[in-house]
C-alpha cells in the first residue's frame, strides 16, 4: 500500500500578492489589541468611554450649543442671563488684544503680533533637520535683532515703547526662548564641569546646581528684581525684564545640567576610550562623540524640562511683569466681564497647550528618528 505525502497548498498562486487588509479590518484589529484584549480591559474601556462621552456632551452644551458668541457694545446682560447654562465667548473678541499684548499701545500692536509670528517661524525652521547648519545661528541672531527692533521701535516712523509697556504672549515667548537658548549651553558646560577631574571646577559647578535647585524660582526672581540692583554701581540700572531673564537663564541652566549629566552617565565607557584612542582633544571628544549620544538618551526629560520652564514664565507676575497669564487675569478686572473668567482661562490654556503640544510632538519625532537610526 503506497503512502501519499500531503503537500500543503499555498492559498494564493506563487507570485501573486496577498490581499491587503481593509481599513475597517485594521481598525477592528487595533481596537481588539489595545482596547478590548480582555474582559477587565473591556470594562475599563467602556467606563472611560462613558465618562469621557458625558463630559464631552456637557462641554458641547455649555461651550457650543448654549454659548453666546457676540454681544452689542459692552452690554453683558445677555451673558449674565445665560450664566451657568452657556459660555460667554464674547469676552474673547472684546479682550483678546489686551490678553495677547498687554498695555502695548493699541495702534502699534501689529509690531508685537509680527514679533510673535517671527518667533513661531523660527521654531518651525529650527525643527527641520535640513536647516541644522551654521547659517541657522545667523538667522536666529538676525531674527532676534528684528524682534527687538519691532518691540522697542524708535525709528522708521515707529514710536519708542519702553519695556514697562510690554506684556502678554511676546513677553512669555521672550522669557522662554532666551531662557532656553542660553540656559541649554550653560547646562551643558555645568554638566561637563560636574564630571571634571579638576576639584575647583567640579566644586563650583556642584555649588551652583545645588544652590539654584535648592530654592524656588520665585526667590530667584525676587533676588533679581530687588537684591541685584543693590550690587550694581550707582547710576547703573538694568531693566526689570532683563533681570528676570537672567534669573530664568540661571534657573534653566541648573535643571538642564542635571538632565544632561544623566545622559553623560548613560554613554558607555567604551565610547570615551575609543575617542581617546583616536587622539581627539577633550572638547572634540565631547562635541563629536559623547554629547550627541548623551542628548539622544535624555530627549524625553529635556522636553519635559522645556515644557515646565515655558509654563513657569507665568511666575514673573510676582515682580510686576505682565506675561500672558497675568494679562489674562488683568483683562477680567473690568466689572462688566468679571463673571466670565473661565472662558478667558480656557482661551489662555489653549495657547499654552498648543505650544507645549508642539514641543511634545517634536520630541516624539526626534525619538522616532533615533529609533530608525
Amino acid at each position: 500500500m503506497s503512502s501519499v505525502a500531503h503537500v500543503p497548498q499555498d492559498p494564493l498562486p506563487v507570485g501573486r500578492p496577498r490581499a491587503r487588509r481593509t481599513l475597517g479590518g485594521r481598525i477592528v484589529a487595533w481596537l481588539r489589541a489595545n482596547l478590548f484584549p480582555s474582559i477587565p480591559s473591556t470594562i475599563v474601556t467602556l467606563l472611560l468611554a462613558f465618562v469621557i462621552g458625558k463630559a464631552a456632551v456637557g462641554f458641547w452644551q455649555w461651550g457650543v450649543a448654549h454659548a453666546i458668541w457676540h454681544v452689542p457694545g459692552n452690554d453683558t446682560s445677555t451673558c449674565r442671563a445665560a450664566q451657568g447654562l452657556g459660555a460667554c465667548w464674547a469676552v474673547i473678541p472684546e479682550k483678546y488684544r489686551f490678553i495677547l499684548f498687554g498695555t502695548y499701545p493699541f495702534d502699534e500692536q501689529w509690531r508685537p503680533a509680527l514679533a510673535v509670528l517671527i518667533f513661531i517661524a523660527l521654531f518651525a525652521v529650527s525643527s527641520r533637520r535640513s536647516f541644522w547648519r551654521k547659517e541657522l545661528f545667523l538667522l536666529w541672531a538676525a531674527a532676534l535683532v528684528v524682534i527687538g527692533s519691532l518691540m522697542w521701535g524708535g525709528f522708521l516712523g515707529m514710536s519708542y515703547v519702553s519695556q514697562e509697556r510690554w506684556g502678554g504672549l511676546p513677553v512669555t515667548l521672550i522669557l522662554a526662548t532666551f531662557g532656553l537658548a542660553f540656559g541649554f549651553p550653560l547646562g551643558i558646560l555645568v554638566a561637563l564641569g560636574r564630571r571634571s577631574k579638576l576639584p575647583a571646577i567640579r566644586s563650583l559647578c556642584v555649588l551652583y546646581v545645588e544652590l539654584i535647585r535648592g530654592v524656588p524660582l520665585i526667590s530667584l526672581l525676587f533676588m533679581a528684581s530687588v537684591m541685584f540692583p543693590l550690587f550694581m554701581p550707582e547710576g547703573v540700572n538694568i531693566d526689570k525684564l532683563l533681570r528676570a531673564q537672567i534669573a530664568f537663564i540661571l534657573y534653566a541652566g541648573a535643571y538642564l545640567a542635571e538632565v544632561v549629566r544623566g545622559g553623560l552617565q548613560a554613554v558607555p565607557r567604551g565610547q570615551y576610550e575609543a575617542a581617546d584612542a583616536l587622539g581627539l582633544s577633550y572638547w572634540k571628544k565631547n562635541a563629536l562623540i559623547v554629547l550627541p549620544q548623551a542628548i539622544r538618551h535624555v530627549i524625553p526629560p529635556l522636553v519635559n524640562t522645556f515644557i515646565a520652564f515655558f509654563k513657569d514664565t507665568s511666575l514673573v507676575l510676582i515682580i510686576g511683569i505682565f506675561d500672558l497669564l497675568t494679562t489674562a487675569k488683568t483683562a477680567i478686572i473690568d466689572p462688566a466681564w468679571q463673571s466670565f473668567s473661565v472662558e478667558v482661562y480656557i482661551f489662555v490654556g489653549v495657547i499654552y497647550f498648543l505650544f507645549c503640544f508642539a514641543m511634545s510632538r517634536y520630541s516624539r519625532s526626534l525619538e522616532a528618528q533615533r529609533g530608525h537610526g
Side-chain angles (χ1 to χ4, degrees):
M1 184 175 182
S2 62
S3 61
V4 179
H6 176 68
V7 179
Q9 299 270 334
D10 192 344
L12 292 177
V14 177
R16 182 181 298 178
R18 295 179 178 271
R20 292 185 177 180
R21 184 182 293 178
T22 62
L23 178 61
R26 291 199 298 270
I27 293 176
V28 170
W30 184 89
L31 291 174
R32 287 179 177 174
N34 294 277
L35 300 181
F36 306 101
S38 63
I39 293 178
S41 297
T42 301
I43 294 173
V44 172
T45 298
L46 293 177
L47 287 175
L48 289 176
F50 174 76
V51 172
I52 294 173
K54 190 173 180 61
V57 170
F59 182 80
W60 172 266
Q61 292 177 347
W62 176 81
V64 179
H66 300 116
I68 297 172
W69 303 89
H70 176 73
V71 294
N74 207 30
D75 182 16
T76 59
S77 58
T78 307
C79 287
R80 294 181 185 279
Q83 195 169 4
L85 297 176
C88 181
W89 299 115
V91 66
I92 304 303
E94 182 69 25
K95 297 293 184 180
Y96 79 96
R97 295 186 69 165
F98 184 86
I99 294 172
L100 293 178
F101 308 120
T103 59
Y104 206 91
F106 190 83
D107 295 335
E108 301 287 332
Q109 287 183 356
W110 62 270
R111 290 156 52 181
L114 183 57
V116 170
L117 293 178
I118 293 175
F119 267 124
I120 295 174
L122 281 175
F123 300 153
V125 170
S126 302
S127 65
R128 307 288 296 181
R129 294 177 68 92
S130 57
F131 290 100
W132 290 2
R133 299 191 296 268
K134 295 181 180 179
E135 291 79 3
L136 184 61
F137 292 99
L138 300 177
L139 178 63
W140 267 89
L144 293 178
V145 169
V146 172
I147 290 172
S149 302
L150 286 171
M151 296 297 294
W152 269 299
F155 64 97
L156 295 179
M158 296 185 296
S159 60
Y160 174 77
V161 180
S162 64
Q163 289 183 344
E164 286 76 13
R165 301 289 303 275
W166 298 9
L169 185 57
V171 169
T172 295
L173 291 178
I174 288 171
L175 289 172
T177 303
F178 280 95
L180 294 174
F182 290 96
F184 187 59
L186 174 62
I188 291 176
L189 291 176
V190 173
L192 292 174
R194 290 201 63 170
R195 296 169 59 86
S196 174
K197 297 179 181 179
L198 301 176
I201 294 179
R202 185 172 62 251
S203 300
L204 184 62
C205 292
V206 169
L207 177 64
Y208 162 70
V209 170
E210 297 302 329
L211 180 63
I212 299 297
R213 283 164 53 92
V215 297
L217 176 58
I218 291 178
S219 64
L220 294 178
L221 293 174
F222 267 122
M223 288 288 293
S225 178
V226 179
M227 299 297 296
F228 184 73
L230 300 178
F231 297 95
M232 299 301 295
E234 186 176 356
V236 177
N237 184 26
I238 299 180
D239 187 85
K240 181 166 56 177
L241 182 62
L242 179 58
R243 298 199 299 267
Q245 186 70 80
I246 294 173
F248 270 103
I249 292 173
L250 295 176
Y251 177 79
Y255 278 84
L256 292 173
E258 288 298 278
V259 175
V260 174
R261 187 168 70 93
L264 292 173
Q265 292 177 341
V267 177
R269 187 64 189 171
Q271 298 293 315
Y272 292 89
E273 296 172 351
D276 292 335
L278 292 174
L280 297 178
S281 65
Y282 174 82
W283 294 108
K284 284 187 176 181
K285 175 177 69 175
N286 284 286
L288 301 178
I289 305 297
V290 178
L291 279 175
Q293 298 181 66
I295 293 174
R296 288 195 196 100
H297 287 309
V298 294
I299 288 176
L302 272 178
V303 176
N304 183 58
T305 305
F306 290 166
I307 291 174
F309 180 77
F310 178 77
K311 293 183 292 184
D312 284 343
T313 55
S314 60
L315 294 176
V316 294
L317 161 68
I318 204 71
I319 59 173
I321 296 177
F322 280 56
D323 71 306
L324 178 61
L325 186 59
T326 307
T327 54
K329 293 178 180 178
T330 308
I332 53 178
I333 291 179
D334 186 350
W337 299 100
Q338 262 184 350
S339 303
F340 311 106
S341 58
V342 174
E343 290 84 346
V344 172
Y345 288 133
I346 289 177
F347 174 69
V348 173
V350 168
I351 295 176
Y352 275 106
F353 172 79
L354 290 176
F355 280 98
C356 295
F357 182 72
M359 285 188 277
S360 176
R361 293 293 298 178
Y362 180 60
S363 72
R364 291 184 62 180
S365 69
L366 286 180
E367 287 185 89
Q369 293 173 11
R370 170 193 169 191
H372 290 307

